[in-house]
Amino acid sequence: MNERDRNRDRPSDIKVRRILVADLPAHLKDVRDVYQAVFSAEPWNEDEAAAERYVRRLDTDKERDGFTVAVAEDHSGVVGFAVAWTTPAVFPTTRSYTRVESIVGAARTQAWLCGAREVDELAVHPGVRGSGVGRALLAAVTDDAPAGRCWLLTSAHVDLAVRFYERAGWHRLGTDASGTTVFLSPHHPAFDASSAPR
């Protein structure tokens, strides 16, 4: 059992905090290690090169409007991280954005997602899952979003992730044939008290 696996029994030793963009470089090796530990497993099966690409992508992503990053740390280093930013007013067409727009619809995408806080990545080392770290990281990058407007996407093929977001009160908007699933945050104004889309 490695150091991070032992920490699952001591979640109070884990501290979650936002970090400044200027402090990100000091955490990149640990972020890379957590990314690899999470995404090398089923169903992603990503290799070491994918973790390296992710860390390089962060160097570009940190220039996005509203870039926000939080880390969960214990005495062994980073055991989880979350990254978010503000979705541009003109909805992007790169990466998975076109799938998101086809799920949500063009008008709702503009109204609900553009200008909202977009959670790009949330990763928790397998050794500390179930300790509340994921929820704390998610809160750290979304709690101050204007009007509670946040969204994210995940894969319907990752039941653990889907159940996590549902238990955290996020609202599933839809899933396409590829499994791309879009969620809105618990307090997103698109939902009223009955949790039904307006």
Side-chain angles (χ1 to χ4, degrees), residues 5 25 29 32 44 46 53 55-56 63 93 96 114 116-117 124 137 150 152 168 178 185:
D5 292 334
K29 181 190 177 304
R32 181 206 160 284
W44 301 280
E46 292 189 9
R53 283 190 302 274
V55 169
R56 283 195 306 273
E63 302 303 323
T93 57
S96 298
C114 292
R117 177 87 41 89
V124 176
L137 284 165
C150 301
L152 59 84
S178 75
S185 57

Side-chain angles (χ1 to χ4, degrees), residues 88-110:
V90 175
F91 201 67
T93 57
T94 56
R95 297 174 50 199
S96 298
Y97 289 109
T98 54
R99 289 198 300 265
V100 169
E101 188 171 28
S102 71
I103 293 167
V104 179
R108 287 181 171 178
T109 295
Q110 186 64 43

Side-chain angles (χ1 to χ4, degrees), residues 126-173:
V128 297
R129 285 190 189 143
S131 64
V133 170
R135 275 187 189 238
L137 284 165
L138 189 57
V141 297
T142 61
D143 275 357
D144 67 342
R149 295 179 69 235
C150 301
W151 71 279
L152 59 84
L153 65 86
T154 191
S155 172
H157 305 298
V158 186
D159 188 56
L160 182 70
V162 171
R163 285 185 289 126
F164 168 79
Y165 293 118
E166 289 174 341
R167 282 192 314 269
W170 286 61
H171 306 280
R172 188 194 305 212
L173 278 184

